[in-house]
Amino acid sequence: MIQQDTSRWAISLISLAALLAAIIPLPNALDILRPDLLALVIIWFAVMQPRAMGLGYAWCAGLAMDAMRGPSLGEHALTYVVVAYIAHRTYLRFRMFPLGQQCLFVMVMLGAQEALLFWIDGVTGHAMLDWRRWLPMVTGAIVWPVVASALKTLASKD
Amino acid sequence: MPALREPGARYAPPRVSTLGLRALALIATSIGLLVVDYRHHELAWIRASLTSAAWPLQSAVHLPSAAWHWFTDAGATRAQLRTENEELKLAARSDQLRLLRLEAVQRENVRLLELLNATPRDAEKSQVATILRVDLDPLRHRVLIDRGARDGVTRGQPVIDAHGVFGQVTNVSPIGAEIILLSDPSHAIPVQIERNGLRTIAVGTGDALRLSLPYLPRNADIKVDDHLVSSGLDGIFPEGYPVARILEVKRDPSQPLASVLAEPTAALDRDREVMLIWLHQRVSAAEAAAAQVLPAPNSNDAPHTSAAR
């Protein structure tokens, strides 16, 4: 059975929700752990429906994220494109991975993203050396199974 | 040309993936955007329009907590309001007394400055802004306020709260603005010890309750409980506003510099409202002498105007 791709409207709505989840006020302890849901959504659509959305979508989502909270414009746009590129290149392999390995791979992608952000922050004079900035990539990998199954249900409803 | 193909041969288009090319193009665009954002402030309208587009989302996130505050305010009982009213009256009376003295001192100060032929102090006006309940980044101390370019907010403008210096404006969109707090790790403010006038720099630590003073020599005259005020040397913050109180001074004999921690006087992590300050351009002594009058030309359009010369 060939699964129909989710409509662009639905994907935009889901991304918007993920974007809002990035700035909803949380208690400080949770705020530090807040996973980057938008990156997970981008990874999921790049892996499960590689034809639904291209890299342009990841770029626009990143730009929206920068407009919402980034200290410099374009950093999330750049890193989301890199993440989406890795996910697009490996989608056939990724789908075959067992869940644990998927989580691990997601963590690697998020880690690459964070490393790029770290570098861009440093170059643009917003250096942030606190080790806690690396925590969201771990929580992102931990919530990956939940996000993946939620997106699967959402996508199959359309 | 299709005629050149052998009849019966299946046409298989070459599978060339443009994914890498597209990724490269988008990455190049992002880098261009980063450079423009970093270097060319004349192209700030790009950022302003993008952040204004994000504004509805940010306000939507802010709305529930704003509604909750409104609800608790509206649901306050008569007794609560009465006690609050009593407290406020008491505070207003003592403030009034202090203000009377302050005005006398200020007049005297102006007269002395005139005697010294010094430049007049900055006149200022201020306006209250509400902080949006939006989490920008847990490790960066930045907040959004509901005043923007249309209210006259500009980049680099100082922000204070009821207890001291709060931060400065980093980005302005037409409707809102982003403030960087004193405690942000990439923020520094020139300060002066109130007791002896020693000048140094207070740097943010990423903790809303701590500032660090990393540039004081080991033998510097500084004690716990000393008060730090802004020195005004940066041309951004007005001088004389309280910034922090010294919490801890460590002098390690093997280190050339003392390690000093201070606690900001402003309630950086608890405020819901802050004050924006407008400083009028410092006027040189000659100009001031030529044009004796210096009242703020536009100090009347803000609701909370306090023209202090």
Side-chain angles (χ1 to χ4, degrees), chain A residues 20 23-26 31 34 55 59 63 67-74 78 85 88 121 124 126 128 133, chain B residues 19-20 23 26-27 30-31 33-34 37-38 47 50-51 54 58 61 133-140 142:
Chain A
L20 283 182
I23 61 162
I24 282 178
L26 286 179
D31 195 12
R34 184 200 309 255
L55 294 175
W59 191 77
L63 204 60
M68 294 277 261
R69 56 180 283 189
S72 41
L73 209 58
L78 195 158
Y85 176 73
H88 270 284
D121 280 347
T124 55
H126 301 280
M128 161 63 64
R133 72 173 293 152
Chain B
L19 194 68
L26 286 172
I27 287 172
S30 315
I31 292 177
L33 205 57
L34 277 165
D37 188 45
Y38 179 58
R47 195 188 180 108
L50 273 170
T51 35
Q58 289 161 336
V61 168
R133 292 289 301 149
V134 168
D135 279 349
L136 288 184
D137 192 328
L139 300 173
R140 290 180 200 288
R142 285 161 203 240

Side-chain angles (χ1 to χ4, degrees), chain B residues 35-298:
Chain B
V35 171
V36 164
D37 188 45
Y38 179 58
R39 248 171 228 285
H40 302 275
H41 292 305
E42 65 271 24
L43 291 176
W45 59 270
I46 299 179
R47 195 188 180 108
S49 48
L50 273 170
T51 35
S52 346
W55 186 257
L57 295 180
Q58 289 161 336
S59 330
V61 168
H62 170 63
L63 205 61
S65 58
W68 172 249
H69 281 310
W70 180 85
F71 186 73
T72 47
D73 277 358
T77 63
R78 195 181 138 81
Q80 276 173 339
L81 289 176
R82 275 186 66 128
T83 47
E84 194 183 320
N85 200 0
E86 287 299 314
E87 281 165 14
L88 287 177
K89 264 184 193 158
L90 219 63
R93 205 172 302 145
S94 65
D95 284 353
Q96 193 67 44
L97 275 174
R98 273 195 292 179
L99 205 61
L100 283 174
R101 274 187 45 123
L102 183 74
E103 272 166 9
V105 171
Q106 225 160 32
R107 270 197 300 275
E108 190 185 340
N109 197 7
V110 168
R111 222 171 35 241
L112 289 173
L113 282 171
E114 273 168 8
L115 280 180
L116 287 170
N117 213 358
T119 52
R121 298 286 286 271
D122 306 316
E124 38 191 69
K125 69 169 189 166
S126 57
Q127 190 171 20
V128 173
T130 307
I131 295 178
L132 255 61
R133 292 289 301 149
V134 168
D135 279 349
L136 288 184
D137 192 328
L139 300 173
R140 290 180 200 288
H141 292 209
R142 285 161 203 240
V143 292
L144 289 176
I145 55 166
D146 64 344
R147 304 272 170 193
R150 62 173 183 183
D151 304 291
V153 178
T154 51
R155 205 180 142 93
Q157 190 175 0
V159 181
I160 60 168
D161 79 347
H163 308 288
V165 179
F166 189 80
Q168 58 175 297
V169 176
T170 46
N171 283 310
V172 188
S173 78
I175 327 160
E178 190 187 84
I179 298 179
I180 178 167
L181 271 55
L182 289 186
S183 54
D184 187 286
S186 56
H187 190 272
I189 174 175
V191 292
Q192 202 165 18
I193 296 167
E194 208 175 23
R195 181 167 56 83
N196 55 11
L198 182 66
R199 285 189 301 268
T200 182
I201 293 173
V203 181
T205 56
D207 177 350
L209 298 175
R210 294 285 178 276
L211 296 180
S212 129
L213 279 68
Y215 308 115
L216 280 170
R218 195 175 60 227
N219 59 356
D221 178 15
I222 187 162
K223 290 187 293 204
V224 172
D225 274 343
D226 272 350
H227 288 272
L228 297 173
V229 295
S230 50
S231 70
L233 287 181
D234 50 3
I236 290 175
F237 294 100
E239 70 178 275
Y241 276 93
V243 173
R245 191 177 61 84
I246 302 291
L247 271 187
E248 174 191 300
V249 182
K250 267 195 209 146
R251 301 174 206 263
D252 181 352
S254 65
Q255 296 291 327
L257 298 173
S259 93
V260 183
L261 282 181
E263 183 186 22
T265 48
L268 297 180
D269 52 347
R270 300 184 294 277
D271 273 328
R272 267 160 58 190
E273 274 164 354
V274 290
M275 295 253 267
L276 289 157
I277 296 185
W278 280 263
L279 296 177
H280 296 292
Q281 292 298 314
R282 282 166 193 267
V283 184
S284 69
E287 275 176 55
Q292 280 296 319
V293 268
L294 184 76
N298 54 349

